[in-house]
Amino acid sequence: MIVWINGAFSAGKTSAACELIDLIPNSTLYDPELIGGELRRMLPQKKLAEVTDFQDLPIWRRLVVDTAAALLAELSGVLVVPMTLLRQDYRDEIFGGLASRRIPVRHVLLSAEETILRQRIAAREEFADDPGHSERIREWAYDHIEPYRAALGWIEADAHTIDTSSLTPHGTAERIAEALSSGAARECGIVQTPAPRAETVASGVLLFDEQDRVLLVDPTYKPGWEFPGGVVETGEAPAQAGVREVAEELGLSLGRPPRLLVVDWEAPRPPAYGGLRFLFDGGRLCAEEAAQLLLPGAELRGWRFVTEEEAAGLLPPTRFERLRWALRARERSAVLNLEAGVPVGG
């Protein structure tokens, strides 16, 4: 199991984590910041210059998951992880990767009043022999107070919150241990998708509203938005897999088989194996049908209809290219149907 301690910079995560490992039998401190430090030494400066935070490096997020899995294979027990995560898509990627390895995560947020948080930042002296470096760290912490406030909505919905304004590090650790023991800090309800062991075949279904905007869903277990759909099961036709996934994900029963728009090959990019990707046209939903869409909370957190331009900012590049091909194919098909006198829509 992993106990992930989140919070603003200077919220007391590391101090509480060090106390917590004395309260939880067979537990180990795992600080992903050490991975970031080593990457700064190993990666070329050109690569490091592309980001302002090591969390923005995909290799860091991948190594956080892989290192946690390796540590638990070697040590078993509990990993206590003090690490600020303010981007929900990074949380999805890391926690989803852990879930795929069957590693449960208990997410805890340490929260303090902003005046106290600022006092703690002002008192930080990381490098006594380098006041300039310490000041830069304090400025970094101050600069991240606003992003922390902006992220509180999704973090508080996801994590068990402990107010540390009047707590010592040991008192905070005791509150965390109590929340873990009582079940107040529950296991994150993120879908546990097994890591692929070979190329997969997956089917997505495009659904449109009355303004011809396309429906996208927001998975909890991976970064970026996605089309409704999923992996084709053994012996299952791709179109039928799309129908099944739409019913499972959205509670929607398609009235007719979806029409194939795109077949694409997704190249393997570790840790993903890639494979064939199908996109189907599921037709147009009226306002009443859209209002009845249901989401499985553990797998999808939201949905929305978007224009092609809006989709460019939500979908990862590979998925967006696939969508563009599908939309062009749908437009050509509509033109041909009109020329042949075939009704369009549905």
Side-chain angles (χ1 to χ4, degrees):
M1 180 179 77
I2 284 179
V3 179
W4 194 287
I5 303 176
N6 204 349
F9 296 97
S10 297
K13 302 181 298 297
T14 301
S15 300
C18 291
E19 297 282 348
L20 185 61
I21 60 174
D22 291 331
L23 301 178
I24 300 178
N26 198 23
S27 62
T28 303
L29 181 68
Y30 166 39
D31 188 353
E33 188 167 348
L34 298 175
I35 297 174
E38 290 305 313
L39 287 174
R40 289 193 185 101
R41 295 182 180 90
M42 291 187 292
L43 292 177
Q45 285 301 314
K46 181 179 178 180
K47 182 66 178 177
L48 293 173
E50 296 175 359
V51 301
T52 57
D53 188 328
F54 60 71
Q55 291 196 9
D56 297 330
L57 295 166
I59 189 175
W60 178 82
R61 303 192 295 275
R62 188 180 307 137
L63 285 174
V64 167
V65 174
D66 292 343
T67 304
L71 284 170
L72 287 173
E74 186 74 22
L75 301 171
S76 68
V78 176
L79 292 184
V80 177
V81 183
M83 192 73 223
T84 299
L85 275 181
L86 301 183
R87 287 190 50 167
Q88 192 174 24
D89 53 341
Y90 290 175
R91 174 267 188 198
D92 292 348
E93 185 175 353
I94 293 170
F95 285 19
L98 294 168
S100 72
R101 290 160 172 79
R102 298 297 188 263
I103 300 173
V105 179
R106 307 282 184 99
H107 192 187
V108 177
L109 170 67
L110 302 189
S111 176
E113 296 175 4
E114 186 170 332
T115 53
I116 293 175
L117 191 62
R118 289 183 176 274
Q119 290 171 4
R120 291 176 182 174
I121 294 173
R124 288 183 67 159
E125 192 67 39
E126 300 287 333
F127 299 92
D129 58 345
D130 190 349
H133 194 180
S134 293
E135 180 59 28
R136 287 192 294 274
I137 291 176
R138 287 192 290 270
E139 288 301 320
W140 171 270
Y142 285 130
D143 290 344
H144 282 75
I145 290 177
E146 181 55 38
Y148 163 72
R149 284 202 301 250
L152 274 178
W154 74 262
I155 299 177
E156 289 178 332
D158 188 73
H160 175 74
T161 302
I162 296 175
D163 186 348
T164 66
S165 299
S166 60
L167 294 176
T168 64
H170 184 75
T172 301
E174 287 182 324
R175 292 283 186 89
I176 297 173
E178 179 184 350
L180 295 171
S181 176
S182 67
R186 301 187 302 274
E187 181 179 333
C188 286
I190 194 166
V191 66
Q192 297 192 344
T193 304
R197 284 175 278 198
E199 288 85 354
T200 57
V201 177
S203 291
V205 178
L206 302 184
L207 298 163
F208 300 87
D209 68 0
E210 294 168 335
Q211 287 76 50
D212 259 354
R213 297 176 301 174
V214 67
L215 178 72
L216 299 182
V217 294
D218 185 11
T220 62
Y221 54 92
K222 62 181 176 181
W225 287 62
E226 182 60 283
F227 319 112
V231 174
V232 178
E233 296 179 354
T234 303
E236 187 177 32
Q240 185 57 44
V243 171
R244 173 180 54 77
E245 288 285 349
V246 166
E248 292 176 0
E249 292 184 354
L250 303 174
L252 178 66
S253 178
L254 296 180
R256 59 185 181 186
R259 182 167 52 85
L260 180 62
L261 293 173
V262 168
V263 179
D264 185 25
W265 167 255
E266 188 170 292
R269 291 185 178 89
Y273 281 77
L276 281 177
R277 302 293 181 257
F278 293 82
L279 266 187
F280 294 90
D281 184 353
R284 187 175 292 125
L285 302 180
C286 65
E288 292 76 11
E289 290 173 314
Q292 295 175 10
L293 296 179
L294 302 173
L295 295 179
E299 187 171 350
L300 300 174
R301 71 164 60 86
W303 61 269
R304 67 173 75 165
F305 286 105
V306 299
T307 63
E308 182 176 342
E309 182 179 0
E310 290 168 334
L314 296 172
L315 292 171
T318 301
R319 290 178 216 157
F320 179 63
E321 279 301 303
R322 198 173 298 136
L323 173 64
R324 291 183 66 244
W325 296 335
L327 293 178
R328 301 296 86 79
R330 186 170 183 263
E331 290 168 0
R332 288 193 297 271
S333 176
V335 170
L336 292 174
N337 285 339
L338 284 172
E339 291 175 350
V342 178
V344 180

